[in-house]
Amino acid sequence: MSQGWRKISIVLFIALIALSVMLAVFGSASTNYTAESVAKDYSLPIGQSMFENQSITGTTNPVQVPLITNFGFLVHQLQAFDLHGILMALSTGVVPFDFSTVAGKGIDSYGNVVDVKGPGFLTYAGDKLSVKEPDHYVWAYSAPSKWLQKTKSGVDVYDNGKKVKSVPASEIKNLEYKNEYYNASTIADWYNYDAHEGSQFTLEKGMVGFSDGRNNISAEDVPKIFGQDVVDYASEYPTGSPILLYAGNYTQQAGEAYGTDLGSHPEYGDDIREVNAKQFVDAWNGTVIPPQTSASGKDYVYFESASDAQAPGGSAAHGVCPSARALRAAVTSEGFDLPVGMCWDEDAVLFGYNPAQDITVYNNHTYPVKINMWTEGDGTGMGIYGQIVRYVPN
């Protein structure tokens, strides 16, 4: 080692000793912080979803505090052997906040999220701040984030609870709101035939009522946090449906498949019955039900009516009952209750219940399940099948 470097090393060594002495003397004068006081002072978003490497402060700029009242934070600089940071602190009179004093699991001393798999969220763990990893399963309920509300003269448009504009009835057909499941024509039909004053038509869906207690999220944040697949799934189902957002380490375990056939009832029109049977299968196939929740089939599924003097109104969606019997067998054999909107008769769907949106299945397991339905063949001999797939945790 050259003589010049030896002198520099000695100077640094002496400086560090002197700094350590100063820390011992002045460290007791450091401001006392608590997790709650820091969260309040810096408006930390308790309950907000967060990912690895994200700052809990929402900014890449470090939180800086006065050195004179936080001299103990130089310990952090020493431990990191951050000579530049030490010199900056001594020269500027401010020092980066050491989050290790108020944070526990999932947060490093700089306030960044670390060692968290999946979408965690900021919370309290005892007297510390923490970023909690997602539970084995995380689900929530879809809720309107942007919607139309029918008025006496047209519709009002709401975005995150605020009315943004009013649209007269004559202009509803020109609205540009659309996705894979609705467009201006769908909205006009809703307005003219289904809605009454005060009725709502959901355009975009956020998520509320999270199973792990995190904050509700808006429609624009759903794909950022949980992916576009969740948005697409929620779009298919009625507003208010339970949506499985995250699943950790699990194995899919297929239950027994239960089947029936369409059969022939020409008095109701077997062609119509076949269409309705397939529509029922489409409405329920792929439905995922989180634990201890009830779910229906898909929205925007339509059934053909056939004349029936015994039915209220003189018509019914004949053909759905064979498919309903397959679903009924699959869910009750799993230990679930008889679905709401069904009975034990051969005509399994009760009058007055839409076979997709009104029938509900309750999952009494402690893990999610998925309903699989499919058909084989065509015509009156078409086979119809239902099966439960369990998402069993490993």
Side-chain angles (χ1 to χ4, degrees), residues 289-345:
I289 312 178
Q292 313 295 313
T293 65
S294 294
S296 73
K298 298 180 180 73
D299 215 348
Y300 309 113
V301 176
Y302 303 99
F303 300 91
E304 300 289 338
S305 293
S307 297
D308 183 352
Q310 303 300 317
S315 64
H318 283 289
V320 299
C321 288
S323 299
R325 292 197 297 270
L327 175 63
R328 182 181 66 190
V331 300
T332 56
S333 296
E334 190 69 15
F336 299 168
D337 291 337
L338 177 70
V340 173
M342 286 192 187
C343 64
W344 287 108
D345 298 341

Side-chain angles (χ1 to χ4, degrees), residues 254-295:
E256 185 176 348
Y258 293 84
T260 185
D261 56 46
L262 179 62
S264 179
H265 289 277
E267 67 273 24
Y268 301 128
D270 284 334
D271 288 343
I272 289 178
R273 293 180 63 250
E274 181 177 357
V275 168
N276 286 339
K278 289 180 176 178
Q279 287 293 90
F280 187 103
V281 167
D282 288 343
W284 284 92
N285 182 43
T287 299
V288 177
I289 312 178
Q292 313 295 313
T293 65
S294 294

Side-chain angles (χ1 to χ4, degrees), residues 135-156:
D135 292 337
H136 207 86
Y137 305 105
V138 177
W139 67 92
Y141 296 85
S142 65
S145 187
K146 187 174 185 178
W147 67 90
L148 307 176
Q149 184 165 311
K150 184 171 181 177
T151 66
K152 291 182 179 179
S153 58
V155 293
D156 289 335

Side-chain angles (χ1 to χ4, degrees), residues 66 175 193 232-233 275 278 313:
L175 288 173
Y193 305 113
D232 296 339
Y233 181 93
V275 168
K278 289 180 176 178

Side-chain angles (χ1 to χ4, degrees), residues 372-390:
N372 282 344
M373 294 199 74
W374 68 95
T375 63
E376 295 179 1
D378 294 296
T380 56
M382 179 178 69
I384 306 166
Y385 301 90
Q387 180 187 51
I388 295 296
V389 177
R390 311 175 192 100

Side-chain angles (χ1 to χ4, degrees), residues 25-39:
V25 173
F26 295 105
S28 61
S30 294
T31 303
N32 290 322
Y33 294 99
T34 66
E36 291 188 359
S37 69
V38 170

